[in-house]
Amino acid sequence: ATYNGLMFATPLLPKLAEKHPGWSVLYHQPAPGQILYNWPVVAVFSAAAIGAFVWLHRLPYQATREEQLSDARSRQSHHPLAASVPSSAE
């Protein structure tokens, strides 16, 4: 999430910094077309990504219908089909 968010912002920041000079403190350009973010930007995006992961991890688990069906089948007693079919070889 952090990488995608930073990569999404990369082409927008130079244009935004031209209109609002205060935004230029977020990054520096060592070469034309290349943007390196300053450490506070990476720290904020990393904290946001960790926060999102923690929030998702705390959500209650809800099994899908397929998982419920699979669990119900695994709890049933297993009778192999071959054992229940009478043998005609006798």
Side-chain angles (χ1 to χ4, degrees):
T2 300
Y3 179 79
N4 291 340
L6 290 174
M7 290 300 107
F8 177 73
T10 297
L12 303 176
L13 273 178
K15 296 173 187 169
L16 188 62
E18 288 175 6
K19 294 179 184 176
H20 307 284
W23 287 87
S24 62
V25 298
L26 298 177
Y27 67 95
H28 60 278
Q29 288 184 301
Q34 183 181 15
I35 290 180
L36 295 177
Y37 290 99
N38 293 328
W39 72 267
V41 175
V42 176
V44 167
F45 273 87
S46 297
I50 290 169
F53 286 136
V54 168
W55 178 73
L56 288 171
H57 182 69
R58 289 183 160 200
L59 289 176
Y61 175 74
Q62 295 180 350
T64 63
R65 291 192 48 81
E66 182 179 350
E67 290 172 322
Q68 292 171 353
L69 182 60
S70 176
D71 290 343
R73 285 183 178 165
S74 67
R75 284 191 298 267
Q76 291 178 348
S77 59
H78 181 66
H79 298 291
L81 184 59
S84 64
V85 176
S87 174
S88 60
E90 298 174 9

